[in-house]
């Protein structure tokens, strides 16, 4: 299993194939449906985004409240196709990768290929395991959205599987 820092993810994408397992470390942002709507409105209005899109990685997830002494509660992925209407724009504006569960639309896969990005899979149902690989969490935007607010996370060897690689190979298509 290859360890990769988020800052090296775009260059590493050229060497990864659908189905590869990786351990990801570095800064990752969360955004789900409501946050994506706000982000795209800010883009359309020429507003300032709460984090830089260039080289970014977005985890489609929202945590449960943390237990005492913990950074976050359970932090498993949500279904990625709910963000498919927004993802191509974000990839085209510099986002490197997204993390979630389930398949993606052809439009998202085309944007991944066009931009040399990745779609990474987190294991659904293993939110407590995922949380153990998050060393820092800070809410940075849209606090009124609760668990769907945008958060800045620090991953430490977060286990992931390449769902769609930079060449458009898709683990879901391959395994049909």
């Amino acid at each position: 299993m290859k360890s990769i820092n988020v800052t090296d993810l775009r260059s590493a994408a050229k060497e990864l194939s659908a189905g590869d397992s990786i351990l990801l470390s570095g800064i990752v942002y969360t955004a789900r449906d409501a946050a994506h709507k706000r982000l795209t409105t800010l883009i359309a209005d020429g507003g300032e985004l709460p984090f830089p899109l260039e080289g970014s990685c977005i985890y489609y997830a929202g945590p449960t409240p943390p237990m005492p002494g913990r950074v976050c509660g359970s932090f498993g992925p949500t279904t990625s196709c709910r963000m498919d209407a927004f993802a191509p724009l974000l990839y085209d504006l510099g986002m490197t990768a997204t993390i979630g569960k389930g398949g993606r639309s052809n439009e998202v896969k085309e944007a991944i290929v066009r931009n040399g990005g990745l779609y990474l899979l987190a294991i659904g149902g293993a939110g407590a395991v995922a949380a153990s690989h998050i060393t820092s969490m800070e809410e940075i935007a849209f606090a009124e959205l609760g668990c769907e607010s945008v958060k800045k996370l620090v991953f430490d060897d977060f286990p992931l599987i390449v769902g769609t690689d930079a060449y458009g190979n898709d683990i879901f298509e391959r395994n049909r």
Side-chain angles (χ1 to χ4, degrees), residues 4 7-8 32 43-44 54-56 67-68 88 103 107 111-112 116 118 122 135 143 148 152-156 160 172:
I4 302 171
T7 58
D8 302 321
R32 287 176 43 178
I43 291 166
E54 187 61 41
S56 67
M67 300 287 285
E107 293 78 16
I112 290 168
L118 293 167
T135 61
E148 288 201 39
K152 178 181 178 182
L153 308 176
V154 177
F155 279 10
D156 181 32
L160 299 163
F172 295 100

Side-chain angles (χ1 to χ4, degrees), residues 19-80:
D20 287 352
S21 295
I22 67 168
L23 297 172
L24 188 64
S25 296
I27 295 172
V28 173
Y29 301 95
T30 64
R32 287 176 43 178
D33 315 52
H36 273 74
K37 289 177 187 173
R38 299 256 183 108
L39 292 171
T40 55
T41 298
L42 282 171
I43 291 166
D45 294 345
E48 185 175 334
L49 296 179
F51 61 92
L53 277 178
E54 187 61 41
S56 67
C57 181
I58 294 179
Y59 183 27
Y60 301 143
T64 61
M67 300 287 285
R70 301 293 304 256
V71 170
C72 59
S74 183
F75 219 135
T78 196
T79 305
S80 300

Side-chain angles (χ1 to χ4, degrees), residues 108-120:
V108 172
K109 289 187 265 187
E110 289 166 4
I112 290 168
V113 171
R114 189 167 56 244
N115 295 287
L118 293 167
Y119 169 52
L120 303 167

Side-chain angles (χ1 to χ4, degrees), residues 138-160:
E138 174 189 1
E139 186 173 66
I140 61 170
F142 316 136
E144 66 279 5
L145 297 179
C147 74
E148 288 201 39
S149 66
V150 175
K151 295 167 184 63
K152 178 181 178 182
L153 308 176
V154 177
F155 279 10
D156 181 32
D157 284 342
F158 195 100
L160 299 163

